[in-house]
Amino acid sequence: AQSVTQPDIHITVSEGASLELRCNYSYGATPYLFWYVQSPGQGLQLLLKYFSGDTLVQGIKGFEAEFKRSQSSFNLRKPSVHWSDAAEYFCAVGAFGSGYSTLTFGKGTMLLVSP
Amino acid sequence: KAGVTQTPRYLIKTRGQQVTLSCSPISGHRSVSWYQQTPGQGLQFLFEYFSETQRNKGNFPGRFSGRQFSNSRSEMNVSTLELGDSALYLCASKEGSGGMNTEAFFGQGTRLTVV
């Protein structure tokens, strides 16, 4: 069965500093990988996704992520954090079978942005 | 185009009661998935529906059930509520056949509190 580990429960970053959120996955085949963001009281918004091809993927809001098969990782990065980036971030791996597709999420990383 | 709409947004129920939550997907989307989000367990997959058929089910007891109507709207029901069922219930819809390469759009969720 697939699984996702986000080792950091909370991360605090100064506004303007760079950010890297870690994600490790376990999946038997080539993974479909996603990063979602959740603001308080809101649903999940897709930041970016990786299916195949270029291992560095660009997303919305200036985020990017790099797929490293050898490390089973899909870390999320942003060069300069803005106060509005404070939210909870979820990494997910997609599993699919005969006619269905589901997401398995990590426990999330709460990003705090200090002035 | 309107997003995924979940009703009600907040709900308080007593142990032993049952509850029905509703999800209206984005117009034209036929795939609907449900997730439970709790602080302890994170986001866990409940069910996925497509064209009124349940395609996949997560590891939840039989007290959790769902259905999808011909207009793609979906409901989930929890019977004999337990305190541990308190959670944010999220619904997501996808267009087309809802394959892994299509984006899942999430609603804002229904916050269920069991007292």
Side-chain angles (χ1 to χ4, degrees):
Chain A
Q2 64 277 4
S3 65
V4 176
T5 301
Q6 294 180 247
D8 304 304
I9 299 174
H10 297 98
I11 280 186
T12 300
V13 175
S14 299
E15 191 168 16
S18 63
L19 169 71
E20 183 169 28
L21 301 182
R22 296 182 291 165
C23 171
N24 292 97
Y25 69 90
S26 173
Y27 187 62
T30 300
Y32 287 68
L33 296 163
F34 307 80
W35 274 100
Y36 283 86
V37 61
Q38 185 179 36
S39 298
Q42 302 297 312
L44 300 172
Q45 181 182 24
L46 180 67
L47 287 175
L48 47 78
K49 59 191 177 188
Y50 171 78
F51 293 153
S52 64
D54 194 349
T55 56
L56 184 63
V57 293
Q58 303 297 320
I60 62 171
K61 304 184 180 186
F63 286 93
E64 66 178 27
E66 186 172 13
F67 170 61
K68 293 186 177 180
R69 185 186 300 275
S70 61
Q71 298 176 19
S72 298
S73 70
F74 188 56
N75 294 348
L76 181 72
R77 301 193 294 246
K78 187 170 185 178
S80 178
V81 168
H82 188 260
W83 64 266
S84 60
D85 293 324
E88 191 159 21
Y89 291 79
F90 294 91
C91 181
V93 62
F96 57 98
S98 177
Y100 70 84
S101 62
T102 62
L103 294 169
T104 298
F105 289 89
K107 291 288 181 71
T109 297
M110 181 66 73
L111 173 64
L112 306 173
V113 181
S114 60
Chain B
K1 192 184 272 192
V4 178
T5 303
Q6 292 188 245
T7 56
R9 288 292 312 278
Y10 303 92
L11 207 48
I12 300 175
K13 290 287 189 179
T14 305
R15 265 185 308 176
Q17 288 186 312
Q18 75 165 12
V19 67
T20 299
L21 312 182
S22 179
C23 171
S24 293
I26 292 173
S27 178
H29 287 195
R30 294 162 61 196
S31 167
V32 173
S33 298
W34 289 88
Y35 291 84
Q36 182 196 62
Q37 185 177 23
T38 59
Q41 298 299 316
L43 281 151
Q44 294 184 286
F45 169 73
L46 279 158
F47 343 87
E48 182 194 15
Y49 287 89
F50 177 75
S51 291
E52 301 179 66
T53 300
Q54 186 181 90
R55 293 202 293 197
N56 196 15
K57 188 178 192 301
N59 188 26
F60 278 82
R63 301 184 296 107
F64 291 80
S65 62
R67 59 179 175 170
Q68 186 180 35
F69 301 95
S70 57
N71 62 357
S72 295
R73 189 177 70 85
S74 178
E75 290 181 346
M76 64 163 285
N77 184 78
V78 188
S79 63
T80 320
L81 283 165
E82 300 177 0
L83 295 179
D85 297 332
S86 295
L88 180 68
Y89 290 87
L90 292 166
C91 168
S93 74
K94 290 185 174 184
E95 65 180 343
S97 61
M100 190 50 64
N101 59 346
T102 53
E103 180 177 348
F105 291 86
F106 283 81
Q108 292 184 294
T110 294
R111 172 74 64 186
L112 171 65
T113 302
V114 182
V115 297

